């Protein structure tokens, strides 16, 4: 009996040590992620602010549109912008609609993006793919007038050259066919005002849709944080790193 009790005590001590090690590892992981996210917001990218637009340059407005997990960039649906996006009209979008004010784009996990039009459609499979590794897709959607005072809407004024640099960066993400045209994903739209296209790059949780949005913003001279995996961190970093 004494030997049995001693054995049970030894096993309990081992279990306690194992649980303590797991707890320490989890605490260290949470701390490391917290520090990485904080530094990702505070440390600007690029470190030094680029030169602003010439004083005589025409200024244009773009919008960053954020929900709890995803961000898009909206470009004004002006003729010079829509000229570069003529392929969406060829693929069926009504780009001459009188109520059209904005066209917004986002990059994301192909499976999750297409199969989760709303939170009620959330399923484990697409969510797992989004958190691991998935092919990517570009989403293009037409929009009417957008209230700039709404939560999750960030208006940014940039020079015309900077706006087109952002648009070019976004367009460079579309995968192209042999003739150089974006590749439409058939039967993948949420409704009559949006389309999905094949995209360059693989999606994963560490480099996701909000990092893509940050990359497009930086192409136009807007500074962001160094690493912003979630919409709030991206928006906070943009406010911290810029003079608007």
């Amino acid at each position: 009996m004494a030997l049995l009790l001693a054995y049970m005590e030894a096993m309990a001590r081992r279990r306690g040590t194992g649980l303590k090690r797991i707890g320490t590892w989890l605490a260290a992981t949470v701390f490391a992620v917290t520090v990485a996210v904080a530094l990702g917001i505070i440390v600007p990218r690029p470190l030094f602010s680029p030169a602003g637009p010439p004083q005589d340059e025409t200024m244009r407005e773009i919008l960053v549109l954020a929900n709890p997990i995803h961000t898009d960039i909206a470009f004004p649906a002006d003729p010079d912008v829509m000229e570069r996006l003529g392929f969406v009209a060829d693929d069926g979008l009504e780009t001459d609609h009188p109520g059209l004010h904005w066209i917004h784009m986002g990059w994301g996990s192909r499976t999750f993006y297409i199969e989760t039009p709303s939170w009620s459609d959330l399923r484990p499979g697409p969510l797992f793919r989004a958190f691991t590794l998935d092919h990517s897709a570009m989403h293009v959607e037409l929009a009417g007038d957008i209230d700039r005072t709404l939560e999750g809407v960030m208006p940014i004024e940039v020079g015309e050259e900077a706006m087109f640099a952002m648009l070019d960066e976004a367009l460079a993400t579309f995968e192209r066919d042999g003739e150089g045209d974006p590749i439409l994903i058939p039967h993948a739209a949420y409704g009559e005002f949006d389309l999905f296209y094949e995209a360059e790059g693989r999606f994963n949780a560490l480099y996701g849709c909000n990092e893509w949005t940050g990359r497009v913003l930086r192409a136009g001279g807007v500074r962001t944080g160094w690493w912003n995996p979630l919409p709030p961190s991206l928006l906070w970093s943009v406010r911290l790193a810029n003079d608007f």
Side-chain angles (χ1 to χ4, degrees), residues 46-96:
L47 286 173
F48 302 102
S49 181
Q55 291 186 351
D56 59 347
E57 185 175 5
T58 301
M59 301 300 290
R60 305 288 287 270
E61 186 180 53
I62 60 103
L63 306 175
V64 178
L65 308 176
N67 66 31
I69 62 169
H70 179 79
T71 49
D72 276 358
I73 293 186
F75 295 93
D78 297 332
D80 54 357
V81 172
M82 300 309 296
E83 182 180 358
R84 301 196 186 195
L85 296 167
F87 61 90
V88 300
D90 295 338
D91 291 328
L93 288 187
E94 190 180 352
T95 56
D96 57 353

Side-chain angles (χ1 to χ4, degrees), residues 45-46 50 61-66 71-75 105 154-159 161-170 173 207 209-225 228 231 233-239 241-242 244:
R45 184 177 181 184
E61 186 180 53
I62 60 103
L63 306 175
V64 178
L65 308 176
T71 49
D72 276 358
I73 293 186
F75 295 93
M105 286 179 268
M154 175 184 279
I156 300 176
E157 193 173 62
V158 296
E161 184 178 342
M163 184 197 72
F164 281 113
M166 293 183 195
L167 182 56
D168 288 342
E169 183 70 21
T173 317
Y207 185 89
C209 52
N210 304 300
E211 278 292 288
W212 176 87
T213 301
R215 191 183 87 201
V216 174
L217 290 173
R218 290 191 298 272
V222 176
R223 299 166 85 198
T224 71
N228 301 124
S233 66
L234 176 63
L235 299 184
W236 291 338
S237 75
V238 170
R239 293 188 181 102
N242 299 277
F244 49 78

Side-chain angles (χ1 to χ4, degrees), residues 151-233:
E151 184 178 358
V153 177
M154 175 184 279
I156 300 176
E157 193 173 62
V158 296
E160 189 168 76
E161 184 178 342
M163 184 197 72
F164 281 113
M166 293 183 195
L167 182 56
D168 288 342
E169 183 70 21
L171 290 174
T173 317
F174 287 79
E175 188 176 331
R176 309 276 172 161
D177 62 20
E179 297 180 356
D181 297 321
I183 302 171
L184 179 70
I185 302 174
H187 314 299
Y190 296 156
E192 59 181 310
F193 297 113
D194 73 297
L195 295 170
F196 281 96
Y197 291 85
E198 302 287 0
E200 299 285 350
R202 290 294 188 97
F203 183 96
N204 64 73
L206 295 179
Y207 185 89
C209 52
N210 304 300
E211 278 292 288
W212 176 87
T213 301
R215 191 183 87 201
V216 174
L217 290 173
R218 290 191 298 272
V222 176
R223 299 166 85 198
T224 71
W226 200 261
W227 181 57
N228 301 124
L230 295 173
S233 66

Side-chain angles (χ1 to χ4, degrees), residues 10-34:
M11 291 300 294
R13 284 196 297 271
R14 286 185 181 180
R15 282 197 296 270
T17 301
L19 290 173
K20 185 177 180 180
R21 287 177 179 171
I22 292 172
T24 301
W25 180 84
L26 288 174
T29 301
V30 170
F31 177 76
V33 171
T34 301

